[in-house]
Amino acid sequence: MRRPVTERQTQVYEFIRDFMRTHGTPPTLREIGDGLSIASSNAVYKLLQALETKGLIHREPGAARGIRIADPEEDPLAEKRVPHLPIVSRTASDEPSRLRLRPSGSMYVDPALLSGYDPDRCLIGRVSDDGFSENGIWRGDFVVVAELPVHRLLDDDTVAALVGESLIARRFTYGLSRYALHPAHRSYETINTRDNDSDCYLIGRVVGVVRRV
């Protein structure tokens, strides 16, 4: 059972929601203090800590405007929320459960890229080779990937996979208990593998590409 919320905590919670409605962004600690005449930023911090402990908000460490309303139905920004996806670090194909552990960073992406996909099941990975360069995905590009099991992929989907510790983009085709990952560059070979092959782990469908210029 959640502990009761004090009157002062309720005031802070409602101030946060009102600020989000008006400004389209969460308030900083100073803005909360100024708005509620709380002189000490430490006092504001403790009030936010209490609200987080009681499950009313989430806070992103180190972000000045990192407050999030926990209940989507009470969050004024729920429909405007820009997906914030982890950039996965180097991961071995035989340890896919570690894919989201210790991300190397994060990135905001256009919500239109994720239309129809759960943002919590999407991630960003850096491509390790030029095997798909003829189709516009180069080594060093960041791909936005919707994590999907093999049976939800379609023939000719562009997919991301881990081969050893390399993240690659390829064209997917599926056969009887096997699938193939086809390159777009002729100097790379097609990879034929099975669903449970520890040397190759299929992450999911590539839904977007982000490139540094």
Side-chain angles (χ1 to χ4, degrees), residues 2 5-21 26-27 32 36 38 44 47-48 50-52 54-58 67-76:
R2 191 170 71 190
V5 182
T6 68
E7 182 178 0
R8 195 53 159 165
Q9 291 164 5
T10 300
Q11 290 172 352
V12 172
Y13 181 74
E14 292 303 329
F15 177 86
I16 293 168
R17 294 182 66 214
D18 289 342
F19 190 97
M20 288 177 168
R21 290 191 196 96
I32 295 172
L36 295 174
I38 304 173
V44 175
L47 286 163
L48 294 177
L51 289 174
E52 187 170 33
K54 294 176 181 181
L56 292 174
I57 66 170
H58 300 302
I67 301 171
R68 302 287 182 265
I69 300 297
D71 185 346
E73 294 185 1
E74 295 190 0
D75 185 357

Side-chain angles (χ1 to χ4, degrees), residues 167-202:
L167 188 150
I168 63 172
R170 295 293 190 267
R171 181 174 63 87
F172 169 88
T173 58
Y174 190 64
L176 208 56
S177 74
R178 298 183 66 87
Y179 60 84
L181 302 176
H182 305 274
H185 194 288
R186 62 185 180 181
S187 67
Y188 291 79
E189 296 182 353
T190 295
I191 298 170
N192 293 286
T193 187
R194 296 182 182 275
D195 294 351
N196 59 356
D197 188 348
S198 62
D199 292 329
C200 180
Y201 174 73
L202 191 62

Side-chain angles (χ1 to χ4, degrees), residues 151-166:
H151 70 268
R152 288 192 55 194
L153 296 171
L154 304 174
D155 274 355
D156 294 326
D157 271 350
T158 298
V159 299
L162 293 173
V163 178
E165 291 190 349
S166 297

Side-chain angles (χ1 to χ4, degrees), residues 7 39 95 99 134 141 143 151:
E7 182 178 0
E95 296 184 301
L99 192 63
E134 296 298 311
D141 285 348
V143 287
H151 70 268

